[in-house]
Amino acid sequence: KQELPDLILLDLMMPQMDGYEVMKILKADKQTRNIPVIMLTALAQVDDKVKGLRTGADDYITKPFDLRELTLRVNAVLKRTRKAKYINPLMKAMGDSFTEKGVEQLGYHLETAAKIQQQLLPKELPQYENIEIAGDLKISMMVAGDFYDFIPLDDDHIGIAIADISGKGVPAAMLMVMVQTILRLVCREETSPANVLKRVNDFLAMDTELEMFSTMVYGVLDTKSLTFTYSNGGHCPPIRVNSQKDSVDFLEKGGMLLGIFDYAEFEDETLSLKANDTLVFYTDGVTEAENSSEEVYETQRLVDVIVKNLDLSAEKLCRKIEEDLIEFTSTLPHS
């Protein structure tokens, strides 16, 4: 009970208490009744196997047994029962609501939350004669805590943001909506990105628990002068590559992550963009993506993909990064 196992190998012939009695105790206890059990015994009679399965055993293997066969049996049972392991916490959380109708309603609420979250993403990409803008979000769960945003401020200025909320799933998604809402309000009241991050930070530090925080880059792009003024609140530094491919800069100026300390301060930095310069914003879902060998994608690989494909449009560059991630991980990561 202190450390519930994923599976129990239970011998049938034991002193003081046999396997059948152990099964009765396991199945009578709410904490242990769903742990899968494979019975091990020297008895080979059909009646013993039937009795073992009737008491609740998931499989039955007789001694002497081949280790390879046992391994296959264990994997087969775990494959069948793994879903129940993750459903049980849901059952506990929902309590009396864990019914077919209750689960259906929960699924509907999650789908609705996912739709709301998608609607908060930019519906149309900003269009300018001299600037190409593209963006994409792929989530690993139904709802998530990452977001990006393009916020028109006036005819010549647009706010650009990318953020990553700590954690995953519903709690992160709820905080994401809160952060994005606060951002959209304060960015129209503050001209300095550092001041915007400061105000978002103060809201979060006052209203959220210590375990919940956000990283964010927010900047203002002047579409006439082609300057970009930004502040980085503990987020993955955006990458700037010049058109000659001989200069790669990381946009790190700013301060700490948001929501931990109410005394946090932030700084601005202004960049003068040249023709064909490229800025790439991303979350750690890209650079920390792992492949089957537990190798990490890392920032340098992302830089290499950007440099090799600078001649592509912004949208095609996004696709190329996504394709490289899929090739590296064999699955589509949270990006």
Side-chain angles (χ1 to χ4, degrees):
K1 288 185 179 181
Q2 290 178 349
E3 190 171 341
L4 294 175
D6 292 319
L7 182 140
I8 294 172
L9 295 177
L10 179 61
D11 206 335
L12 188 57
M13 303 294 290
M14 300 185 295
Q16 300 181 20
M17 183 186 299
D18 64 24
Y20 299 128
E21 293 176 273
V22 173
M23 281 297 299
K24 289 179 182 178
I25 295 172
L26 289 172
K27 295 303 177 183
D29 192 312
K30 289 183 179 180
Q31 285 184 271
T32 59
R33 66 175 51 166
N34 293 312
I35 300 174
V37 177
I38 297 179
M39 278 193 165
L40 301 175
T41 180
L43 301 176
Q45 285 80 9
V46 173
D47 289 346
D48 294 307
K49 291 183 179 181
V50 172
K51 183 177 179 182
L53 294 173
R54 279 179 176 171
T55 59
D58 294 85
D59 205 348
Y60 194 108
I61 190 168
T62 56
K63 302 176 185 178
F65 56 82
D66 184 88
L67 186 58
R68 291 170 298 178
E69 179 188 1
L70 178 60
T71 302
L72 289 173
R73 297 279 189 104
V74 167
N75 287 332
V77 170
L78 288 176
K79 186 176 181 180
R80 293 198 306 267
T81 59
R82 189 172 287 119
K83 290 181 180 179
K85 178 182 178 182
Y86 296 104
I87 288 175
N88 288 340
L90 176 62
M91 293 172 61
K92 184 177 180 181
M94 293 186 68
D96 294 338
S97 299
F98 192 82
T99 61
E100 184 176 349
K101 185 177 180 179
V103 172
E104 183 179 352
Q105 190 175 43
L106 176 62
Y108 170 75
H109 289 164
L110 285 172
E111 287 180 7
T112 303
K115 289 178 182 177
I116 292 173
Q117 192 172 37
Q118 286 295 320
Q119 289 171 354
L120 288 173
L121 292 174
K123 295 180 179 62
E124 295 181 0
L125 296 174
Q127 300 293 322
Y128 299 99
E129 291 183 1
N130 57 341
I131 301 168
E132 285 187 4
I133 297 177
D136 195 19
L137 175 70
K138 294 291 189 299
I139 62 175
S140 58
M141 303 178 71
M142 184 174 285
V143 290
D146 292 3
F147 75 88
Y148 66 92
D149 209 352
F150 304 113
I151 309 169
L153 302 174
D154 57 39
D155 291 342
D156 299 334
H157 297 85
I158 181 170
I160 299 175
I162 188 168
D164 183 358
I165 309 300
S166 63
K168 296 183 180 297
V170 174
M174 292 177 66
L175 187 59
M176 167 248 157
V177 173
M178 178 180 175
V179 170
Q180 190 172 17
T181 302
I182 296 169
L183 171 67
R184 288 180 176 182
L185 289 172
V186 301
C187 72
R188 290 182 169 88
E189 300 173 357
E190 300 283 354
T191 57
S192 163
N195 290 343
V196 170
L197 292 192
K198 172 64 176 170
R199 290 187 61 182
V200 173
N201 174 81
D202 292 350
F203 273 113
L204 292 178
M206 178 175 58
D207 292 334
T208 61
E209 298 293 333
L210 183 63
E211 293 78 9
M212 298 295 289
F213 57 86
S214 173
T215 64
M216 182 190 296
V217 174
Y218 173 71
V220 177
L221 177 64
D222 186 322
T223 61
K224 295 297 184 182
S225 67
L226 290 183
T227 57
F228 182 63
T229 303
Y230 77 93
S231 187
N232 187 335
H235 193 79
C236 304
I239 300 166
R240 175 192 182 186
V241 182
N242 70 5
S243 57
Q244 286 74 40
K245 305 182 183 182
D246 59 4
S247 175
V248 177
D249 300 310
F250 295 91
L251 281 56
E252 299 176 313
K253 180 73 72 174
M256 62 180 63
L257 45 79
L258 312 181
I260 301 296
F261 303 108
D262 57 8
Y263 55 79
E265 298 291 338
F266 302 88
E267 296 180 81
D268 286 331
E269 182 175 44
T270 299
L271 309 174
S272 294
L273 302 177
K274 303 292 191 296
N276 298 316
D277 278 3
T278 298
L279 284 176
V280 176
F281 301 76
Y282 58 97
T283 72
D284 59 14
V286 175
T287 52
E288 294 182 6
E290 293 186 359
N291 61 16
S292 57
S293 301
E294 297 185 352
E295 298 170 323
V296 179
Y297 189 83
E298 294 187 344
T299 305
Q300 186 57 53
R301 178 162 178 151
L302 176 59
V303 171
D304 292 342
V305 174
I306 297 168
V307 171
K308 289 177 184 176
N309 296 281
L310 280 183
D311 57 326
L312 298 181
S313 67
E315 183 178 354
K316 288 182 179 179
L317 178 58
C318 280
R319 298 287 81 76
K320 185 62 67 174
I321 293 170
E322 184 177 301
E323 289 170 6
D324 194 65
L325 277 164
I326 294 172
E327 180 181 348
F328 179 80
T329 62
S330 299
T331 59
L332 190 61
H334 184 192
S335 61

